[in-house]
Amino acid sequence: MRKWLNEKDPRKLEELFGEARACAIRHVGPKVYFRGIIEFSNLCAKDCYYCGIRKSNANVIRFAMEEGEILECAMAAQEMDYGSIVLQSGERQDEIYVRFIEDILHKIKAATAEKLGITLSLGEQTAETYERWFRAGAHRYLLRIETSSPVLYKRLHPENHFFEVRRECLRTLRRIGYQVGTGVMIGLPFQTHEHLVDDILFFRDEDVDMIGMGPYVPHEDTPLVSAGHDPAENFRLGLVMIALTRLVLKDVNIAATTALQALDPSGREKGVQAGANIIMPNITPTDYRKFYQLYNHKPCLDENARQCRSCLERRIQVAGAEIGYGEWGDSKHFSGRQKNSI
Ligand code: 5AD
Ligand code: FES
């Protein structure tokens, strides 16, 4: 893996990506599945040094979509034939918020005849909260570890953010029965290739079902922006990480994330060609998108959900893959893990 992370020869890299795409076809099939993502609020209690919506960033206008608006997005996702949605927001743990999510889960399930799959990406919570949301109808959870190195984690977060808590949350989610997704940022300041190899081993050892990782892209209003950064190199590393993760983990779902497209106009289709099988089209109402910028150069800020749908449809066709419309496209790794435990 270290050798590949160092590989700069485009022909050799094409070979690696081709192998990874073939591995994806063999283990998870030829289709790419869409998850419509609703970024419904940027209120956040955390202060991660890399993130544009960290609580100390006073330049952000804060918003929280109302229940009715979120419900409308969910129904629109079903109309557009997306098999599932992702609800993402800044992190909050207060009871009003926990209850709000619980209610919205019930309502989405009822409004879509229980057909729409629901993934949550709402940060660190107590086991009780995760259980409540699971009972209310969520079945997948994304929580990036950000980096598998506790030392690097410390450098990227304030004192009161803990690697161990994050890892424990992943284990709790798994115990409750969620399909669990994690991931890292690639090309972070102070990050070495050794760290990236360890990240892949972390995914393997924690036995996760889904991976969402992407290049680190600096945000101008964050403390980390001054640390120096090579966008082309982070993009290359982003693709190599997808390919290596596919070849090592084989049957997990891997997302071609939006951050890839922040660094390269064809970023997401290249992600698919390097072994990813999930795309998360943005279905947040256009008016809110500009307030949810975790990093600079985020694409699709002026587009709406339908435009993103046709845009991504074209991109996936160009990449030579087929879209699994209307299907949940569950992680094959998760089904395997369920069978083994019966
Ligand atoms: N660059 C790339 N990804 C980022 N995230 C947050 N800030 C950045 C950034 N500057 C990612 C984190 C988080 C996810 C929701 O967005 O990995 O878990
Ligand atoms: Fe949103 Fe292309 S995916 S415009």
Side-chain angles (χ1 to χ4, degrees), residues 261 268 289 300 303 307-308 311-312 315:
Q261 205 179 312
R268 280 191 275 186
R289 293 187 182 194
C300 312
E303 278 75 16
Q307 287 168 317
C308 286
C311 171
L312 284 170
R315 288 169 185 275

Short mmCIF file of all heavy atoms in Angstrom, two decimals, residues 261 268 289 300 303 307-308 311-312 315, ligand 2:
data_model
loop_
_atom_site.label_atom_id
_atom_site.label_comp_id
_atom_site.label_asym_id
_atom_site.label_seq_id
_atom_site.Cartn_x
_atom_site.Cartn_y
_atom_site.Cartn_z
N GLN A 261 -14.89 16.16 -6.10
CA GLN A 261 -15.29 17.08 -7.18
C GLN A 261 -14.94 18.53 -6.86
O GLN A 261 -14.94 19.37 -7.76
CB GLN A 261 -16.79 16.93 -7.45
CG GLN A 261 -17.17 17.34 -8.87
CD GLN A 261 -18.65 17.17 -9.11
OE1 GLN A 261 -19.20 16.11 -8.80
NE2 GLN A 261 -19.29 18.19 -9.64
N ARG A 268 -15.92 12.91 -9.10
CA ARG A 268 -16.74 11.81 -8.62
C ARG A 268 -16.76 10.63 -9.59
O ARG A 268 -16.71 9.47 -9.17
CB ARG A 268 -18.14 12.29 -8.28
CG ARG A 268 -18.14 12.96 -6.90
CD ARG A 268 -19.51 13.23 -6.38
NE ARG A 268 -20.05 14.49 -6.88
CZ ARG A 268 -21.21 15.01 -6.48
NH1 ARG A 268 -21.95 14.37 -5.61
NH2 ARG A 268 -21.63 16.17 -6.97
N ARG A 289 -27.76 25.82 0.51
CA ARG A 289 -26.48 25.16 0.21
C ARG A 289 -25.27 26.03 0.55
O ARG A 289 -24.26 25.54 1.01
CB ARG A 289 -26.42 24.73 -1.26
CG ARG A 289 -27.42 23.63 -1.58
CD ARG A 289 -27.24 23.10 -2.97
NE ARG A 289 -28.24 22.09 -3.27
CZ ARG A 289 -28.19 21.26 -4.29
NH1 ARG A 289 -27.18 21.34 -5.15
NH2 ARG A 289 -29.14 20.37 -4.47
N CYS A 300 -21.91 22.47 -6.87
CA CYS A 300 -23.39 22.38 -6.86
C CYS A 300 -24.08 23.41 -5.97
O CYS A 300 -25.23 23.23 -5.61
CB CYS A 300 -23.89 21.00 -6.40
SG CYS A 300 -23.12 19.61 -7.17
N GLU A 303 -27.07 24.82 -7.91
CA GLU A 303 -27.95 23.88 -8.58
C GLU A 303 -29.08 23.43 -7.65
O GLU A 303 -28.99 23.61 -6.44
CB GLU A 303 -27.17 22.65 -9.07
CG GLU A 303 -26.45 22.85 -10.39
CD GLU A 303 -25.19 23.70 -10.25
OE1 GLU A 303 -24.72 23.87 -9.11
OE2 GLU A 303 -24.71 24.20 -11.29
N GLN A 307 -31.33 19.15 -11.03
CA GLN A 307 -30.13 19.40 -11.85
C GLN A 307 -29.00 18.46 -11.44
O GLN A 307 -28.30 17.90 -12.29
CB GLN A 307 -29.69 20.86 -11.72
CG GLN A 307 -30.60 21.82 -12.46
CD GLN A 307 -30.34 23.27 -12.09
OE1 GLN A 307 -30.15 23.59 -10.91
NE2 GLN A 307 -30.32 24.14 -13.08
N CYS A 308 -28.83 18.28 -10.16
CA CYS A 308 -27.77 17.37 -9.69
C CYS A 308 -28.05 15.94 -10.14
O CYS A 308 -27.14 15.18 -10.46
CB CYS A 308 -27.62 17.42 -8.18
SG CYS A 308 -26.82 18.94 -7.61
N CYS A 311 -27.20 15.73 -13.86
CA CYS A 311 -25.76 15.91 -13.99
C CYS A 311 -25.03 14.63 -13.60
O CYS A 311 -24.16 14.14 -14.32
CB CYS A 311 -25.32 17.08 -13.11
SG CYS A 311 -23.56 17.26 -12.96
N LEU A 312 -25.41 14.07 -12.46
CA LEU A 312 -24.70 12.87 -11.99
C LEU A 312 -25.03 11.65 -12.85
O LEU A 312 -24.18 10.79 -13.07
CB LEU A 312 -25.04 12.59 -10.52
CG LEU A 312 -24.32 13.53 -9.56
CD1 LEU A 312 -24.84 13.39 -8.14
CD2 LEU A 312 -22.80 13.27 -9.57
N ARG A 315 -22.73 11.86 -15.64
CA ARG A 315 -21.36 11.55 -15.21
C ARG A 315 -21.15 10.05 -15.02
O ARG A 315 -20.10 9.51 -15.37
CB ARG A 315 -21.05 12.27 -13.89
CG ARG A 315 -20.87 13.77 -14.05
CD ARG A 315 -20.85 14.44 -12.68
NE ARG A 315 -20.82 15.88 -12.79
CZ ARG A 315 -19.71 16.60 -12.95
NH1 ARG A 315 -18.54 16.01 -13.01
NH2 ARG A 315 -19.75 17.91 -13.06
FE1 FES B 2 -24.78 18.90 -8.72
FE2 FES B 2 -23.39 18.22 -11.02
S1 FES B 2 -23.87 17.05 -9.27
S2 FES B 2 -24.51 20.02 -10.53
#
